[in-house]
RNA sequence: GCGCGGGUAGCUCAGCGGUAGAGCAGUUGGCUUUUAACUAAUUGGUCGAGGGUUCGAAUCCCUCCCCGCGCACCA
């Protein structure tokens, strides 16, 4: 006892004496000395290394993951498990501690009976919460019924020089959650669950489409002409070719080239980039699924999307009723995905929300009507289709939580879709609204190169967009009639997990650079 | 870009003109089935940055930085 005590004092004394110069060597220009907390951890690292222990470890052959072992627990078997120490309960001659990772956590028990006095002291004094360790021992259940590992050998695997966030509250500071996502993942169960769910869902979407004979392809993210959507692109410069390039705003025009090339069922599930503002619903780089199915139309695409989203909900959300909850666990919103989903035309849903006579009104009368319905972000100077669209967004989209396929949208809004045979002022498309947001558009794709050129020119007149001549050239070689969809994956995940911000479903959301 | 709210110890937060605080984490002890372990003592702060007002500023005022929410742009 006294020996141990004496050792520790000697050790502490030695550290305090040697630390200042050590810090200067490690950090060339610190503005002020490191906090005491960090100094202690550095000293522990030094001590481990002095004793010839590999503080940043190496190979450790685990028999189980921490969470998997706990889930499928079997008592009385030999186990080797590695993980980060997440908490610790010291009881004199024995210590309980939890190790964990993305799979979950498991409790470990280390007793002085099982290791030398020296090793136990090393564990107590040099190993911290936050360090990675490997444990070798056997599984058992404690008196209180907790599945645990009785540790026979403890192997330090990596020293953490900084402490973990609050063990109870985790990280709540949004800035730390986003900038240092790893801390959020280590300390917040909810964040971990959402990201694991996202990863599984994205994998399942790929499985689902592969199962229906869609081929996943990769098309350029750097494009000469950024097409396929109306959005401001990010610009970059290609040094070798000495030309300006753009990050893609959509893969659409390349996927259609593949339809021309005979790829009858293709999809791409990857990032798009749009140089627009960030918000709860917008991240400048976001994940989009686009799929094209030759000889299908927008209604078959709607069936496909409906089936796929229900499949995901049943597989990962326990059914078609999705409940969004607040931090106290109270249900704030319920989304009912029960099939069949509502389908209604754009004109009908706008009339239902803004009045039967809406489409007969003058611009001024539309603005007045909108104001009376509480919509103030609307201006008489806009074109009719813009006023209609504003009414749609504010009065229909933002208020629709259960799924609705809004069909037959005015053609001005969608230049890449086929016009309706009966009414050529609208196009054969749907916009799927769930959770107050557009989750997915689907088209009967326009494959007439002459009409396509004219529609792009009409739109370019307003938006000064460049026409992708290579795309039109491809269409002139003949593109099969096809249905196409896009699904905003981030928003889909928000809807299915109840995340309130896109930043809660994107691992590393874009943030402004922090000043030096 | 505009408006509102926020930035205090490693983390979670209180303080809002008069000596910078709590809990957890940390350090040193006690404790051999604990689990937000318990328990005693204790360390730790350019109060986001820079100016100003004041005898005195974390606190009031100005400028700037970052984060959140709303609006605008957009999916």
């Amino acid at each position: 006892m006294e020996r141990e005590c004496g050792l520790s004092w000697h050790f502490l004394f030695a550290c305090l004496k040697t630390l200042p110069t050590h810090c200067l060597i490690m950090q060339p220009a610190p503005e002020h000395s490191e906090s005491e907390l960090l100094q202690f951890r550095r000293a522990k690292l030094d001590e481990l290394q002095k004793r010839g222990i590999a503080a940043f470890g190496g190979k450790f052959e685990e028999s189980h993951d921490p969470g998997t072992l706990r889930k499928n627990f079997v008592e009385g078997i030999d186990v080797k498990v590695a993980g980060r120490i997440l908490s610790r309960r010291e009881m004199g001659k024995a210590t309980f501690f939890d190790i964990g990772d993305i799979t979950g956590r498991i409790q470990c028990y280390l007793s002085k009976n099982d290791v030398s006095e020296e090793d136990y002291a090393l564990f107590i004094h040099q190993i911290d919460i936050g360090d990675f360790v490997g444990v070798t021992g056997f599984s058992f259940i404690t008196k209180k019924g907790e599945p645990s590992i009785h540790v026979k050998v403890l192997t330090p695997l990596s020293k953490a020089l900084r402490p973990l966030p609050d063990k109870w509250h985790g990280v709540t500071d949004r800035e730390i959650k986003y900038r240092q996502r790893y801390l959020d993942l280590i300390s917040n169960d909810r964040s971990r669950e959402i990201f694991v769910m996202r990863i599984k869902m994205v994998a399942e979407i790929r499985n689902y489409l592969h199962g229906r004979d869609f081929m996943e392809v990769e098309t350029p993210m750097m494009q000469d002409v950024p097409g396929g959507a109306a959005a401001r692109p990010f610009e970059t410069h290609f040094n070798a070719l000495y030309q300006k390039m753009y990050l893609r705003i959509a893969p659409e025009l390349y996927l259609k080239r593949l339809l021309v090339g005979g790829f009858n069922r293709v999809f791409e599930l990857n990032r798009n980039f749009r140089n627009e503002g960030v918000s709860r619903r917008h991240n400048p780089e976001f994940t989009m699924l686009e799929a094209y199915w030759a000889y299908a139309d927008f209604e078959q695409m709607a069936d496909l999307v409906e089936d796929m989203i229900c499949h995901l909900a049943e597989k990962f959300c326990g059914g078609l009723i999705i409940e969004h909850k607040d931090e106290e666990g109270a249900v704030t919103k319920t989304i009912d995905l029960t099939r069949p989903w509502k389908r209604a035309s754009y004109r009908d849903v706008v009339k239902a929300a803004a009045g039967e006579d809406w489409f007969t009104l003058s611009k001024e009368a539309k603005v007045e009507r909108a104001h009376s319905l509480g919509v103030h972000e609307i201006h008489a100077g806009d074109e009719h289709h813009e006023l209609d669209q504003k009414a749609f967004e504010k009065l229909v989209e933002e208020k629709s939580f259960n799924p609705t396929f809004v069909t037959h949208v005015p053609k001005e809004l969608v230049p890449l879709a086929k016009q309706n045979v009966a009414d050529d002022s609208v196009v054969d498309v749907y916009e799927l609204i769930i959770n107050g947001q557009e989750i997915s558009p689907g088209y009967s794709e326009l494959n007439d190169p002459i009409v396509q050129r004219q529609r792009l020119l009409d739109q370019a007149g307003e938006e000064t967009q460049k026409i992708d001549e290579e795309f039109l050239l491809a269409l002139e070689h003949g593109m099969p009639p096809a249905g196409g969809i896009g699904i905003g994956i981030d928003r889909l995940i928000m809807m299915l997990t109840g995340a309130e911000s896109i930043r809660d479903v994107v691992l590393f959301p874009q943030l402004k650079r922090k000043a030096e």
Side-chain angles (χ1 to χ4, degrees):
Chain A
M1 192 87 73
E2 280 197 8
R3 246 190 60 220
E4 190 191 339
C5 210
L7 249 173
S8 302
W9 277 112
H10 173 75
F11 163 63
L12 179 65
F13 179 65
C15 294
L16 291 174
K17 260 174 73 175
T18 56
L19 258 168
T21 46
H22 179 74
C23 282
L24 282 173
I25 294 163
M26 299 301 286
Q27 284 202 333
E31 289 220 345
H32 38 270
S33 66
E34 277 185 330
S35 82
E36 193 188 34
L37 217 61
L38 303 189
Q39 292 184 31
F40 272 117
R41 295 227 173 193
R42 291 280 182 123
K44 291 173 179 187
L45 171 63
D46 286 349
E47 182 61 21
L48 285 173
Q49 288 172 333
K50 205 179 295 171
R51 297 199 196 185
I53 293 165
F56 294 102
K59 185 165 99 173
F60 184 84
E61 285 181 36
E62 3 158 48
S63 65
H64 299 79
D65 294 323
T68 315
L69 175 61
R70 192 175 189 285
K71 252 168 263 159
N72 312 316
F73 194 75
V74 179
E75 201 173 356
I77 57 167
D78 289 336
V79 295
K80 289 189 78 173
V81 181
R84 188 190 289 277
I85 299 179
L86 298 170
S87 62
R88 175 144 86 169
R89 295 168 292 283
E90 254 180 68
M91 307 196 50
K93 296 187 176 62
T95 298
F96 289 94
F97 58 100
D98 293 353
I99 62 173
D101 58 24
I102 193 77
T103 64
R105 59 166 71 193
I106 185 132
Q107 175 169 271
C108 302
Y109 172 78
L110 179 66
S111 159
K112 218 168 186 170
N113 293 344
D114 296 309
V115 296
S116 69
E117 182 116 340
E118 197 180 322
D119 284 351
Y120 191 78
L122 182 108
F123 171 70
I124 296 297
H125 294 289
Q126 265 66 57
I127 302 296
D128 286 302
I129 292 175
D131 291 2
F132 282 91
V133 295
V135 297
T136 306
F138 60 88
S139 58
F140 79 111
I141 294 181
T142 64
K143 277 182 188 168
K144 296 280 170 68
E146 179 71 25
S148 305
I149 300 170
H150 188 121
V151 180
K152 290 294 196 179
V153 179
L154 185 130
T155 313
L157 292 177
S158 189
K159 187 73 198 154
L161 295 177
R162 290 176 185 274
L164 251 37
D166 191 285
K167 70 176 175 184
W168 187 241
H169 302 95
V171 179
T172 62
D173 185 309
R174 314 284 281 187
E175 195 166 350
I176 298 178
K177 273 170 75 91
Y178 302 148
R179 285 193 201 276
Q180 295 179 274
R181 180 65 86 185
Y182 46 91
L183 294 178
D184 182 40
L185 292 170
I186 293 165
S187 64
N188 295 341
D189 295 345
R190 177 76 186 132
S191 296
R192 212 161 41 233
E193 282 166 20
I194 286 177
F195 286 112
V196 169
M197 217 192 273
R198 174 182 177 131
I199 289 160
K200 288 180 175 171
M201 284 178 175
V202 168
E204 188 57 28
I205 290 169
R206 289 194 159 98
N207 281 341
Y208 181 95
L209 290 170
H210 285 141
R212 278 155 186 74
D213 296 327
F214 283 81
M215 289 192 289
E216 182 170 11
V217 296
E218 295 170 89
T219 67
M221 294 215 183
M222 294 199 307
Q223 302 181 346
D224 182 26
V225 180
R232 287 173 59 193
F234 284 95
E235 295 176 3
T236 185
H237 189 261
F238 194 151
N239 288 338
L241 300 188
Y242 198 69
Q243 71 182 27
K244 192 190 261 188
M245 298 290 283
Y246 300 89
L247 299 188
R248 76 174 180 198
I249 55 176
E252 176 153 355
L253 304 188
Y254 282 91
L255 293 172
K256 285 181 172 171
R257 286 163 165 88
L258 294 177
L259 285 175
V260 172
F263 285 60
N264 284 344
R265 297 182 190 193
V266 289
F267 76 95
E268 182 159 10
L269 201 175
N270 219 312
R271 227 67 64 78
N272 287 348
F273 307 85
R274 298 192 183 174
N275 206 341
E276 316 278 358
V278 296
S279 81
R280 222 153 50 93
R281 291 171 218 84
H282 299 87
N283 194 53
E285 54 178 314
F286 63 102
T287 300
M288 178 78 123
L289 165 68
E290 285 201 12
Y292 293 85
W293 182 1
Y295 320 120
D297 69 359
F298 80 98
E299 286 181 309
Q300 277 166 283
M301 300 316 283
D303 293 340
L304 179 77
V305 166
E306 183 175 323
D307 187 68
M308 186 172 80
I309 292 177
C310 287
H311 172 73
L312 292 175
E314 280 171 338
K315 184 149 185 163
F316 300 111
C317 308
L320 296 179
I321 307 296
I322 310 294
E323 292 186 330
H324 291 191
K325 295 173 180 167
D326 63 17
E327 267 146 41
E328 281 78 46
V331 176
T332 53
K333 198 189 286 174
T334 303
I335 295 170
D336 185 352
L337 299 178
T338 304
R339 301 178 74 176
W341 291 355
K342 182 179 165 189
R343 298 189 188 195
S345 80
Y346 184 86
R347 293 177 77 90
D348 286 348
V349 295
V350 171
K351 282 196 281 188
E356 276 301 313
D357 57 349
W358 174 269
F359 289 98
T360 64
L361 298 177
S362 67
K363 288 182 183 178
E364 290 72 22
K366 281 182 178 177
V367 171
E368 200 175 314
R369 173 74 56 80
H371 280 222
S372 74
L373 293 167
V375 178
H376 300 284
E377 307 89 346
I378 190 165
H379 313 287
D382 291 343
E383 296 296 324
H384 270 290
H385 72 262
E386 290 171 323
L387 297 174
D388 299 345
Q389 179 63 8
K390 187 58 83 175
F392 171 73
E393 284 170 9
K394 295 293 166 187
L395 296 171
V396 180
E397 185 171 292
E398 289 183 7
K399 292 175 181 168
S400 301
F401 296 100
N402 292 337
T404 305
F405 286 106
V406 177
T407 62
H408 299 104
V409 171
K411 68 173 181 186
E412 292 85 352
L413 300 171
V414 189
L416 297 165
K418 203 169 244 179
Q419 276 154 277
N420 185 266
V421 175
D423 175 1
D424 70 0
S425 72
V426 300
V427 283
D428 279 340
V429 303
Y430 74 76
E431 306 267 1
L432 173 61
I433 312 300
I434 316 179
N435 195 23
Q437 297 179 21
E438 189 191 336
I439 296 282
S440 164
Y443 304 170
S444 291
E445 301 294 345
L446 177 53
N447 62 341
D448 178 335
I450 298 161
V451 175
Q452 180 67 86
R453 174 180 295 277
Q454 192 53 50
R455 296 268 297 281
L456 287 174
L457 284 171
D458 290 346
Q459 198 200 33
E462 304 164 17
E463 316 236 349
T464 63
Q465 271 188 339
K466 258 168 84 181
I467 304 283
D468 188 341
E469 290 294 341
E470 302 279 341
F471 166 63
L472 290 172
L473 176 64
L475 280 196
E476 285 173 13
H477 282 92
M479 184 182 100
I485 54 161
I487 298 184
I489 296 297
D490 311 285
R491 288 180 175 184
L492 177 68
I493 305 296
M494 286 170 70
M495 187 273 287
L496 290 172
T497 60
E500 292 208 353
S501 169
I502 196 169
R503 295 178 203 106
D504 295 329
V505 301
V506 172
L507 280 168
F508 299 101
Q510 289 295 339
L511 295 179
K512 195 155 180 180
R513 173 192 303 143
K514 225 176 166 166
E516 292 300 312

